[in-house]
Amino acid sequence: MDSDLNAWSWRRYVSLFFLLSAGFQLALAVTHYSVPEEMEVGSVVANLATDLGLDVQTLIKRNVRLDVIASKKYLAINKNRGELYILEKIDREYLCPAKTTCFLKMEVIVENPERIFYIELEITDINDNNPHFRRDTINLDITESTPAGERFSVSNAVDSDVGSNSVKTYYLSKNEHFDIEIQSGRDGSKFADLILKKALDRETQAVHNLILTAVDGGVPPRSGTASIIVRVLDANDNAPKFDQESYTINLTENSPIGSLVVKLNATDLDEGSNADLVYSFSLYTSEKTQKAFGLNPESGEIRVKEIVNYEDFRIYDMEVIASDKGTHPLSGQCKLSIIITDMNDNHPEISIKSFQSQVKEDVAVNTVIAVVSVSDKDSGENGQVDIHISDDLPFALKESSENYYELLVSEPLDRERVPEYDITITVTDRGNPPLSDNETITLELLDVNDNVPQFPQTFYTIPVMENNAPGASLSSLTAIDPDLHENQYLVYFIIEKEIANTSMSMLFSINPENGNLYALKTFDYEIEKEFLFHIEARDSGVPPLSSNVTVHIIIMDQNDNTPLIVSPWRAHGSEVKEKIPRSTDKGTLIAKVIAIDSDSVHNSRITYQFLQNTDATLFSLDQYNGEIRTMRMFSYRDSRDQRLVVIAKDNGEPALSATVTIKLSTVETALKTYTEVPLEYDIFSDLNLYLVIGLGSVSFLLLITILVTIVLKCQKAKPSKAAPPCRNSVISERNSTIADSTLVSNDAYWYSLFLAETRKGKLVVRQPVPKGARYIVSSIPRSTGLTETSDSAASTLQVRKSTSLIKERFT
């Protein structure tokens, strides 16, 4: 007796110890959550009451509170719903700088009884920072003699983000001389080396401007750029070169000492001392020539050193060398022949008698703008003169009287093409050699308003993302007018046009001075998809000239509409209750979830998943059509009540979703073969009338075919007085209220239900009845005749019309 009592006491203490140990471990357990940074204030992180097993009704009474181990209070608890939500936006880079992981530790404290729960919130990184270089401009000096393959280090880019959002690669702007090679550091950082792939030539291009772009690995990726300026340093690789290889110079006898015979000009493509030149006579130049002419070693000028006489010596030949001052000097040479000619020592003269220095650009052809006279003191052919101007000028000379000429406009003038002309009038006598004189006059053209403003394009297509902020800048439409002053000043405005009784000026505005286009309202892709209007640019000339351009605004879709579950229907927040027999076969269709999304095709693709499933081995969900089927038959171990939570997600980025909870109850007895469910459905809405007619026609033909088939079979089979119980029937206890916008989805639902039931050996019929009554969907076994449908039907789905709710939803 005492031993039994001691054993019982020992077992009691052991049980108490394990109970206390379990409670202690539960208190010290850490609940882990993970959220991305920069979540909106008010976003729900988790339902703490559900996760911690607390009663929501007692949270206020138990004085639940959150203690965040941080400098700021980023989160808070909604005591009414038990939800942990964002109180202040979290910046992971601020909270955990230079760390790959970031955790925020918290304590949830409740009283009566006192309990402490430890919460660990992981802040995950998003790609919200652009890569940037420590220096925006990188300067490199490279000698043009540097061989190809040489490597040069450049500054690497840094990114505040971590992981895949950090710097991933680099790109170099397209060029023929340089490439980059990407290297990885021990810490995983990326940097680039600049590789010379083709030798440089300073004389071809002295400066190379490159753009180095760093791109991170985020989705979408972000980038940053730096400018690389490569200055090519000179090497002495070019020899001096004269403008001509040989010169023939005519020099009049008795030319004064010091007269310039010719100024030789040699050029060296190098720079610095490599381009500094020294001129000298070669050894092939005779002493007599060097005595008669002098050469300036710096300027290359050849001048007369002593009086030359035609009768004494008529031709002087010489060779001049130009050498640079490089470390290893290079040189070039040219030959000169100076021919002494007989003296024609009086130059012709030209005199401007009248001149109009400014004329309008629309001056008429043959208008006189200047009058000149010419003269020559010589006689004979040396005194006869010829006057001319360049053939490239839109002017002409016309002799008005002896030795007097008029300068005329010979072609239409255009100030925008040439604003002013330097007109050189040259007069030359007929001596041997001829002497000449010239006079240059400058003619300025005054502007007239003769140019229409021109846009770079005739048609602009501007994409605008929906949900834009009012006043957002859309584009800049700038026209160009080559005129001057007020003729060039442009004013922009929108040509009025009404769309659906709305003026364009109510939707868009344009800055009249610079052509910046703005949106005046927030656009919704689901309502407005595009706009087409015209913008006019008008100058301020007299009379004003204008042109216009067509603007096509395309509204781009955002994933801003949450999927709407239209079947099975349930009141907001309520569960859908279904009853099924425990004898249901494997593969039986239990329910079908249908959701619709009003976004564009890409964003509105719906997939279905189980968010919660009481028994994962019992039910399966088709992710594309939302059909819930049994994976096996029920066993005696299975619970009578099964709870399924289905989530419908769209294909947007980020994805939006909606959920529906289906509570399944199993029954042992045989059920009737049809149920009635009132469904408010306005099939005659204006939006869906034609669709209903088409679907009704197809459904009618399908039903007629099925009914004929059943009649033929029933004629062969004996009629039964009562329909056998069907173990595959589904009893629905929900009310359905569906707007006319879900007509296609609901017809798809009925059609899917029809196919599922007919596969199981039953006929599903949607039976219309008089206006104001209900629409019946009946499920009957295939083995029964048409006359037994009403008697043997085990379930009837009734649909009631509710136009008031549809109108309310559309409103």
Side-chain angles (χ1 to χ4, degrees), residues 80 96 114 311-312 534 580 582 617 715 739 771:
N80 294 322
C96 305
E114 184 84 17
E311 288 74 23
D312 292 341
H534 300 282
I580 58 176
R582 293 187 68 84
T617 66
Q715 289 176 353
K771 185 176 182 182

Side-chain angles (χ1 to χ4, degrees), residues 346-349 374-379 382-385 429 435:
N346 288 290
H347 291 266
E349 295 180 354
V374 295
S375 61
D376 193 323
K377 296 178 179 179
D378 291 325
S379 60
N382 291 334
Q384 296 177 3
V385 296
D429 64 22
L435 300 179

Side-chain angles (χ1 to χ4, degrees), residues 692-722:
V692 168
I693 293 173
L695 291 175
S697 302
V698 175
S699 301
F700 178 77
L701 294 175
L702 181 62
L703 290 176
I704 292 298
T705 304
I706 294 174
L707 289 174
V708 171
T709 304
I710 292 175
V711 169
L712 294 176
K713 287 188 176 181
C714 288
Q715 289 176 353
K716 297 178 181 180
K718 292 182 179 180
S720 59
K721 295 182 180 180

Side-chain angles (χ1 to χ4, degrees), residues 170-184:
Y170 294 85
Y171 297 100
L172 186 66
S173 58
K174 186 177 180 181
N175 69 96
E176 62 175 337
H177 291 280
F178 295 95
D179 202 350
I180 58 171
E181 184 177 297
I182 301 173
Q183 305 287 343
S184 298

Side-chain angles (χ1 to χ4, degrees), residues 18 67 142 205 326 434 523 525 588 716 770:
F18 280 112
D67 187 7
I142 303 177
Q205 187 175 356
F523 297 111
Y525 172 83
T588 301
K716 297 178 181 180

